[in-house]
Amino acid sequence: MGDRQHQDGIVAGRLSAEDYARNFADLHPPLDAHEARVEADRCYFCYDAPCMHACPTSIDIPMFIRQIATGDPLGSAKTIFDQNILGGMCARVCPTETLCEEACVREEAEGKPVQIGRLQRYATDAAMAAGRQFYERAAPTGRRVAVVGAGPAGLACAHRLAMHGHAVTIYEAREKPGGLNEYGIAAYKTPGGFAQAEVDYVTAIGGITIENGKALGRELSLTGLAHDFDAVFLAMGLSGVNALKAQGEEAGGVENAVDYIAHLRQASDLSALPIGRRVVVIGGGMTAIDIAVQARLLGAEEVTICYRRGKEHMNASLWEQDLAASKGVVIRHWLQPRRIVAEGGRVKAIELEYTALSEGRLTGTGETLTLKADQVFKAIGQTFEPAALNGSGETVALEGGRIRVDAEGRTSMPKVWAGGDCVAGGDDLTVSAVAQGRDAAESIHRALMG
Amino acid sequence: MADIRSNFVGIKSPNPFWLASAPPTDKAYNVERAFKAGWGGVVWKTLGENPPVVNVNGPRYGAIWGADRRLLGFNNIELITDRDLYVNLREIKQVKKTWPDRALVVSLMVPCQEEAWKTILPLVEETEADGIELNFGCPHGMSERGMGSAVGQVPEYVEMVVRWCKQNTRMPVITKLTPNITDIRKPARAAHAGGTDAVSLINTINSITGVDLDNFAPQPAIDGKGTHGGYCGPAVKPIALNMVAEIARDPETRGLPISGIGGVTTWRDAAEFLALGAGNVQVCTAAMTYGFKIVQEMIEGLKNWMDAKGHASLDDVIGRAVPNVTDWQYLNLNYVTKARIDQDLCIKCGRCHIACEDTSHQAITSQVNGERRFEVIEEECVGCNLCVNVCPVEGCIEMVPLAAGSLDKRTGKVVSGDYANWTTHPNNPMKVAAE
C-alpha cells in the first residue's frame, strides 16, 4: 500500500511497487508440463466435438489436446495455428467460458470443463518459445494486397495471404501493430509484451510489411489503395466511442474507458498512472469489466459498475462478472447516468436514475441515486467511424453503422474485403476477428488466382 | 457383520488378503508394517540357496499408465531375495512369533534336484512358518538358470518337485504357476498329481513395457539393454481370472484350493477372484503403488458387500461364479440384447456413435431432428457392448435383453424364450442332431 491509498481525486502511485507487480501479473498463469498432462488427460476426445463447434475459428480441440497428452506439444500448436494463427492471444483473451469450455461435455458431466484455453496456451507457448514456424510461403504470385489495420483480423488475413504467396502491406494507424491486443485487452490477460511477440511470430513467415502511423482518411484513401493494390482488406476496428448522453459529461475526470486502457497498456510505469479514489464505470460489457478491474488494481478504493439493465443482459460473461466481484468491484444494475455533478470543472459525483423495463422498453423510473466519484469511465460501446472511408470516389456500403460484408468478407466494392469489429453482424471477439481475417484471405486468394 | 476369516489349506488368517511373494515381503521391516496395516498374511519373498543372487543396479521396474498417469501395468526384472538365507530364516521365525494370528508362508526356489529341496525344507520348517509356496513362475533371470518358469513350463518337473516337497515336509505346499504357458490346466494337473495342497496363480507374464525412443532401449533398460520382465498389475487381472476359472472348472483339478493372484487392487477384484474359485487372494502391485493402507479398503469393502448381499462367510462366495463359466459353444444364441442410452445421463461426447459408426454396426445416431443426440438404432444393433465399454459415464448405456416373444428389429424375428446354442445350430456343420 502506498501513502496515497486514500487520497481523494485522481492521483498516481496509490500502491507500492510490489502491489502493482502482483496486481498486474498473469491472471491465468501458464500450465507447467505436469499440469498440462493432467488436464489433457481429462479430454474425452469427443466425436464431432461440441467445443470445436463453439470455437469461431473451429480449432480441432480434441486433436490438439490429444497431442499434448501424447507428448507432442509442437504438433498440438500446429493443429491450433492451422485454424487460428493468433491462437496464442486467443488462448489468453477468449471468453472460453462462453465458447469452447461452455460446450465441453465435462461441463455437462461435472460442471468442470477441460481447461481448453490454458491448454491452448501451453501448446502455442511451446511453439513460440521454440521459435518454431510451421508455414512456408508459396511461390510469390506477384499479387499485392493492402490490409488496413494490424489488429487480429488484419494479422490473420495477412498471414494467410502471405502463405499463399501474395505480398502484403499492412497499414496501421497507431504507432505499434496489434490493435486491441496491444492497446485494448486488460493488462493482466497478456503481460510480458506478448502482443508484440505474437506479431513478430505471425509476420516471421515473410512477405508482410507493416507500416505504422498510417490511417485511412489521413495518409491513405480507400480509392487510392484499391487503385494501387490487387485487393484491399479493411480491418480498422472501431474508433468511435458512444456518448453517455448525461448532462455535464464534458467535466474533467470523465473519460473513455478504451482510451484509458490503451494508455495503461502502453505505460512503462503503472505507479505513474493516475486513478480516482472513487471510480464509477458506466457500461455492461467486457470493456466495463476490464476498466473496472484495472481501476481497482491500480488502487482505486471504490469501483462501481453501473449498468442500465439487469445482470442477465450484461454482455460481460458471468465469469468476467465474478472476476470483477472478486477484485472488489461492485456491479449495480438498472441504473442509467443522468447528470455529472462537477465542481471546478471536475467530476465530484454522478447522478443516476433507476430504470425498469416496461412493455419491453427501458425507461427511467424517476428515482435517482447519487454516487460520489472523482473519475467516471464511459464503457458503453464503440462505434465505427465511416468518415475515413469517404474518398473522392466509390465507397463501401454500411449496415447498422458498420461495413456490410457477405459470408466471405466481400464488401459492396470490388477488390475490397473487410473483417473484424468494423463489419456488421459480428460479436466483437478477437477470435471472430481472426476467423474473418483468415476466411477473407481465402476469398481474396480465390479471387486473385481464379 | 460378514465373517471374512480365512482358512486356506489349514492356514488361518483374519482376512483373505495376503501379500504375494515380492519386494513388499522381502524382510521383517516391511512384513511387520504390512501386518500392522492389517494384511491377513504374507508369502515371504522367495528364498534360494546361499550365496544369494544379485540384482541389477539399474532400474528393476517398468510400467504402463492410463489417464492421469494411473499405473495400469507393472513389470519387474528383480530376482528372488538377494539377502542371506539365514538372515531371512531368522527374521521369518521372529515375525511369526510376534504375529501368530497371521499367515506366514515362505516362497522357495532352489535347483531342480531333490537334494536341494531336502536341504532347505527343514530349515523353513524350523521357523514355524505356516507353509511353503513353490516358485515355478518367475519368468526372468532364474528361468535362465533352470528354475522359476523353466520348471513351471514343464508339467513333469512340476509334478516331480511337488512330490519331493510333499515327501520331505509336513508343511502345506502351495504351487505357484506361471502364465507363460499355452494351457494353464496342464501344470495345475501336474501339481495336483504331485500332491500339492493348493496352486497359486498367476505369476507374472513375460513383457517389455516399452521402448525408449531416444536410444531404442527396451524398458526397463540397464545400460541401454533390456530383457523381458514379469508383467503384473491391474492390466493382467482378466488373464488371471480366466486362468483361475480354467483350473476351478477343470474336472481333473476341481476342488483344488487356489490362491488368486493378478492385479487385485480393490475389494471388488478380490471378490471376483473368490467367485471364480480362489480361496484367498494375494496382492502385490496395488501395495507397491499405494502402500499397505489399501488393505483397509479391501477388508471393509468386502465385508460391506457381503453384508449387503447376505453372504455370511467366504465359503458363501468362493466358487459361486464357476458354474457360470462355460465354453462358447454353450452360450445361448437366443439371448438378444440391445443397447439403450439413458439420455439424462448422456453427456453427448459422441464416442459411442463414432466407435459404432467407424468400427462396428452403424447402430447409433449422431443427430436426431437436427440436434446432437445419440440413440440406438435397434434395427442395426447387434448388442455387441462396444458402446458401453467406450462410454465415459458409468451406467449411461445399458444392454437390455429383449423379452421372449418380442420382435428383434434387426433380424425381424420373434425372440425365442428357449435356450439354443451352437451345438445344435443349423449353420454348424458338426451339429448334433436334436433329440
Side-chain angles (χ1 to χ4, degrees):
Chain A
M1 187 191 294
D3 51 8
R4 297 179 190 165
Q5 172 81 52
H6 299 120
Q7 193 172 320
D8 282 347
I10 303 176
V11 300
R14 289 188 180 275
L15 306 175
S16 68
E18 301 80 61
D19 291 334
Y20 287 112
R22 188 175 56 242
N23 289 355
F24 286 87
D26 224 333
L27 181 63
H28 300 293
L31 297 174
D32 67 24
H34 169 71
E35 291 170 316
R37 288 290 277 269
V38 170
E39 193 61 22
D41 273 344
R42 297 185 62 233
C43 175
Y44 284 136
F45 201 74
C46 295
Y47 162 74
D48 192 26
C51 54
M52 259 174 82
H53 289 290
C55 174
T57 54
S58 308
I59 293 170
D60 190 343
I61 294 165
M63 184 58 74
F64 94 66
I65 294 178
R66 185 176 168 88
Q67 289 171 301
I68 292 172
T70 57
D72 182 17
L74 295 184
S76 174
K78 180 169 185 300
T79 300
I80 295 161
F81 290 139
D82 279 349
Q83 291 296 113
N84 181 338
I85 194 64
L86 273 75
M89 182 61 84
C90 290
R92 290 162 167 78
V93 305
C94 260
T96 51
E97 64 279 5
T98 60
L99 297 172
C100 52
E101 291 179 17
E102 183 179 53
C104 177
V105 301
R106 287 256 191 197
E107 171 65 27
E108 170 145 354
E110 65 217 51
K112 195 169 176 290
V114 175
Q115 296 180 68
I116 298 167
R118 294 182 81 191
L119 286 170
Q120 180 168 319
R121 175 170 174 185
Y122 176 79
T124 52
D125 278 3
M128 288 176 69
R132 179 67 183 272
Q133 290 285 326
F134 297 103
Y135 310 97
E136 281 178 22
R137 292 194 68 198
T141 61
R143 304 303 180 113
R144 298 169 62 246
V145 182
V147 171
V148 181
L155 288 168
C157 183
H159 183 270
R160 190 55 69 100
L161 288 168
M163 222 172 89
H164 287 312
H166 308 299
V168 184
T169 304
I170 307 181
Y171 295 106
E172 167 56 47
R174 296 198 192 237
E175 291 309 305
K176 285 189 200 169
L180 288 178
N181 291 355
E182 176 61 35
Y183 292 96
I185 305 297
Y188 47 77
K189 289 181 185 169
T190 171
F194 180 78
Q196 289 309 305
E198 186 172 54
V199 170
D200 294 342
Y201 182 75
V202 170
T203 54
I205 189 171
I208 302 172
T209 307
I210 302 181
E211 296 195 19
N212 294 316
K214 293 204 173 157
L216 207 59
R218 209 167 65 196
E219 291 81 7
L220 310 163
S221 75
L222 182 53
T223 39
L225 291 177
H227 179 265
D228 295 343
F229 287 86
D230 296 301
V232 178
F233 180 64
L234 299 173
M236 60 281 244
L238 306 174
S239 52
V241 175
N242 285 324
L244 282 186
K245 295 176 191 155
Q247 199 186 330
E249 67 178 286
E250 62 289 347
V254 180
E255 304 182 40
N256 289 328
V258 289
D259 293 341
Y260 190 91
I261 291 171
H263 192 51
L264 189 158
R265 285 293 307 277
Q266 299 306 309
S268 54
D269 176 10
L270 292 170
S271 72
L273 214 57
I275 192 75
R277 180 179 183 184
R278 296 183 182 87
V279 173
V280 171
V281 176
I282 307 298
M286 296 295 225
T287 305
I289 300 285
D290 283 355
I291 188 65
V293 170
Q294 292 182 110
R296 276 287 297 158
L297 299 179
L298 284 169
E301 185 181 348
E302 291 175 20
V303 178
T304 310
I305 292 176
C306 296
Y307 178 56
R308 64 195 177 122
R309 293 175 184 268
K311 181 180 176 71
E312 65 277 21
H313 303 112
M314 291 182 75
N315 273 334
S317 68
L318 274 179
W319 190 90
E320 291 282 343
Q321 295 178 43
D322 289 346
L323 171 72
S326 77
K327 301 294 181 190
V329 172
V330 175
I331 303 180
R332 303 189 65 152
H333 303 100
W334 304 110
L335 281 171
Q336 65 186 14
R338 208 159 86 164
R339 186 168 70 92
I340 298 292
V341 182
E343 213 178 279
R346 299 204 61 81
V347 59
K348 284 291 161 210
I350 180 167
E351 185 184 298
L352 303 122
E353 181 181 16
Y354 284 93
T355 58
L357 274 177
S358 86
E359 292 169 7
R361 277 184 43 124
L362 192 73
T363 52
T365 64
E367 187 188 351
T368 62
L369 167 78
T370 300
L371 293 176
K372 280 170 108 177
D374 31 35
Q375 198 168 24
V376 171
F377 286 112
K378 297 184 276 187
I380 48 177
Q382 288 124 266
T383 54
F384 179 62
E385 292 191 316
L389 294 175
N390 296 331
S392 49
E394 199 178 358
T395 191
V396 299
L398 303 184
E399 178 186 324
R402 302 194 195 183
I403 299 171
R404 191 181 80 207
V405 290
D406 67 9
E408 293 187 13
R410 287 181 290 222
T411 69
S412 62
M413 190 172 155
K415 294 172 69 179
V416 179
W417 282 254
D421 291 353
C422 67
V423 303
D427 51 15
D428 295 349
L429 292 175
T430 307
V431 64
S432 300
V434 172
Q436 290 163 8
R438 176 198 70 195
D439 295 345
E442 294 294 348
S443 175
I444 292 168
H445 176 62
R446 283 193 297 274
L448 294 183
M449 305 311 286
Chain B
M1 195 68 167
D3 180 0
I4 63 165
R5 282 177 301 171
S6 167
N7 183 341
F8 186 76
V9 295
I11 304 170
K12 288 180 179 150
S13 60
N15 61 59
F17 303 107
W18 294 8
L19 284 170
S21 167
T25 60
D26 191 29
K27 56 186 190 291
Y29 181 84
N30 304 75
V31 171
E32 297 217 286
R33 284 180 71 84
F35 285 159
K36 280 176 199 151
W39 289 89
V42 305
V43 181
W44 200 278
K45 186 172 167 76
T46 308
L47 308 186
E49 291 180 333
N50 269 347
V53 300
V54 295
N55 270 301
V56 294
N57 297 297
R60 299 177 189 185
Y61 307 125
I64 64 160
W65 300 271
D68 206 16
R69 212 177 146 87
R70 295 278 167 165
L71 189 144
L72 297 182
F74 190 60
N75 138 312
N76 82 87
I77 55 167
E78 187 172 286
L79 302 182
I80 63 174
T81 186
D82 55 12
R83 302 191 322 141
D84 182 90
L85 173 63
Y86 295 95
V87 170
N88 274 307
L89 291 168
R90 224 169 22 244
E91 289 186 5
I92 289 166
K93 185 167 188 172
Q94 168 256 310
V95 171
K96 182 62 205 177
K97 198 168 179 188
T98 313
W99 298 88
D101 69 322
R102 307 302 170 94
L104 205 171
V105 171
V106 177
S107 174
L108 294 176
M109 184 194 290
V110 292
C112 230
Q113 297 147 3
E114 189 170 9
E115 245 344 277
W117 291 92
K118 272 184 165 172
T119 305
I120 201 165
L121 288 169
L123 301 177
V124 177
E125 272 188 8
E126 201 275 327
T127 65
E128 294 178 52
D130 297 301
I132 58 170
E133 184 180 76
L134 310 185
N135 182 342
F136 294 158
C138 248
H140 49 266
M142 304 312 293
S143 54
E144 297 166 18
R145 305 172 201 180
M147 293 179 272
S149 64
V151 178
Q153 287 165 339
V154 183
E156 292 79 6
Y157 291 175
V158 171
E159 182 177 344
M160 177 178 74
V161 178
V162 170
R163 184 162 289 124
W164 289 339
C165 291
K166 285 304 292 179
Q167 285 168 349
N168 288 289
T169 181
R170 58 166 173 77
M171 295 182 291
V173 174
I174 303 168
T175 305
K176 188 165 181 177
L177 303 180
T178 176
N180 298 305
I181 190 164
T182 312
D183 185 347
I184 195 68
R185 293 174 301 182
K186 300 288 167 60
R189 288 170 187 164
H192 190 44
T196 195
D197 295 283
V199 290
S200 56
L201 71 159
I202 58 174
N203 205 311
T204 55
I205 304 171
N206 283 338
S207 59
I208 291 172
T209 54
V211 176
D212 181 335
L213 292 178
D214 290 328
N215 55 10
F216 295 105
Q219 297 291 301
I222 308 295
D223 194 19
K225 307 282 186 203
T227 188
H228 60 82
Y231 195 48
C232 52
V236 311
K237 186 184 91 170
I239 298 166
L241 285 177
N242 175 58
M243 289 185 167
V244 166
E246 286 294 287
I247 294 170
R249 74 190 187 97
D250 179 25
E252 286 192 37
T253 52
R254 185 168 294 157
L256 177 65
I258 301 170
S259 184
I261 312 170
V264 175
T265 307
T266 67
W267 69 266
R268 188 180 293 275
D269 299 327
E272 291 171 9
F273 271 94
L274 298 179
L276 282 175
N280 72 3
V281 292
Q282 297 184 32
V283 177
C284 173
T285 306
M288 290 184 75
T289 309
Y290 301 109
F292 290 145
K293 184 179 166 183
I294 52 165
V295 73
Q296 290 302 328
E297 165 267 306
M298 293 177 169
I299 291 168
E300 294 307 312
L302 183 64
K303 282 189 198 165
N304 290 339
W305 168 74
M306 288 172 66
D307 284 345
K309 297 291 183 182
H311 304 306
S313 71
L314 296 180
D315 288 337
D316 291 348
V317 177
I318 293 168
R320 288 285 291 276
V322 175
N324 294 329
V325 183
T326 185
D327 295 338
W328 190 95
Q329 62 182 335
Y330 301 122
L331 297 175
N332 184 2
L333 295 173
N334 282 341
Y335 178 75
V336 181
T337 61
K338 300 284 177 189
R340 188 169 64 200
I341 301 172
D342 183 333
Q343 296 297 332
D344 291 335
L345 291 177
C346 177
I347 60 172
K348 299 187 171 58
C349 71
R351 293 220 314 228
C352 57
H353 163 79
I354 199 61
C356 191
E357 189 70 17
D358 277 354
T359 71
S360 292
H361 303 278
Q362 298 77 48
I364 298 179
T365 64
S366 62
Q367 292 201 334
V368 176
N369 298 326
E371 295 286 307
R372 184 177 178 86
R373 189 175 168 93
F374 303 95
E375 288 181 359
V376 175
I377 303 163
E378 292 204 4
E379 288 77 1
E380 305 296 338
C381 179
V382 305
C384 76
N385 208 40
L386 175 63
C387 53
V388 173
N389 293 326
V390 302
C391 178
V393 180
E394 192 177 352
C396 175
I397 310 181
E398 260 189 306
M399 300 307 299
V400 182
L402 294 188
S406 59
L407 180 72
D408 178 348
K409 291 182 189 164
R410 183 175 71 87
T411 58
K413 291 180 181 158
V414 173
V415 175
S416 163
D418 298 334
Y419 165 80
N421 65 42
W422 175 245
T423 61
T424 56
H425 195 279
N427 287 17
N428 183 356
M430 325 261 282
K431 69 175 178 288
V432 293
E435 292 299 318

